[in-house]
Amino acid sequence: MLGMVIAIFLAFSLIAFLAIGWIREVIRSKQIELKHSQDIKDQRADAVKRSRSVIEGQVFEQLIPHFPQWNHTPSEARFIGSPIDYIVFDGMSKGQPEKISFVEVKKGQSSTSPLQNKIKKLVKEGKVEWETLKVE
């Protein structure tokens, strides 16, 4: 009889031990799942924030010729977008082009890219050419 009581006690102890381990694993799994879910939400929010910032910048770039800071006649500006925002043909509206300017619009803390810096250097060095392509 004592042997049977000990066997039942050991069986229940083993079942309790296994059940506790299983419960801990379920809790750990749920915690990982919740963290993963929160990480996804955070990443989505960050992506939306960055996307909104990019769109804001693009709209701003399109409107800048109508701002007081713009030093050219808006109708003489041609939006390129990439790698430089505008090419301005100063004097074109009067039929007397006097100067061509490359204009890059930056807002806030943003700065020119390495590619834009290389293009600026080429312009400053006079490495700009005119090319006419005839297609028949």
Side-chain angles (χ1 to χ4, degrees):
M1 179 79 153
L2 182 62
M4 187 179 270
V5 171
I6 292 174
I8 291 172
F9 174 77
L10 290 175
F12 277 118
S13 296
L14 179 61
I15 290 171
F17 177 76
L18 293 174
I20 290 170
W22 178 77
I23 290 170
R24 284 183 181 155
E25 187 59 33
V26 168
I27 290 171
R28 190 177 75 75
S29 175
K30 290 294 181 187
Q31 288 172 335
I32 290 171
E33 189 177 308
L34 286 172
K35 183 178 179 342
H36 180 68
S37 178
Q38 186 60 45
D39 288 347
I40 289 173
K41 286 179 185 177
D42 292 346
Q43 290 170 357
R44 285 183 181 158
D46 184 56
V48 167
K49 181 181 174 186
R50 283 185 282 125
S51 178
R52 192 174 288 144
S53 178
V54 167
I55 292 169
E56 221 177 75
Q58 290 171 340
V59 169
F60 179 76
E61 287 172 353
Q62 292 285 331
L63 296 175
I64 194 70
H66 305 286
F67 279 50
Q69 299 93 323
W70 186 257
N71 297 322
H72 308 278
T73 304
S75 64
E76 297 175 339
R78 297 296 178 263
F79 182 75
I80 305 299
S82 180
I84 302 297
D85 290 327
Y86 287 92
I87 297 178
V88 180
F89 302 91
D90 288 311
M92 182 175 69
S93 62
K94 299 174 192 163
Q96 297 293 322
E98 300 167 359
K99 179 174 83 169
I100 297 172
S101 301
F102 293 84
V103 180
E104 179 59 28
V105 178
K106 294 296 176 193
K107 186 178 177 191
Q109 299 294 323
S110 61
S111 60
T112 53
S113 70
L115 176 61
Q116 291 167 339
N117 291 333
K118 288 176 185 174
I119 292 169
K120 180 179 177 181
K121 183 177 180 225
L122 291 171
V123 170
K124 297 262 184 206
E125 292 172 353
K127 295 181 179 177
V128 180
E129 295 181 4
W130 176 272
E131 184 177 318
T132 301
L133 177 62
K134 289 190 175 191
V135 180
E136 296 186 36

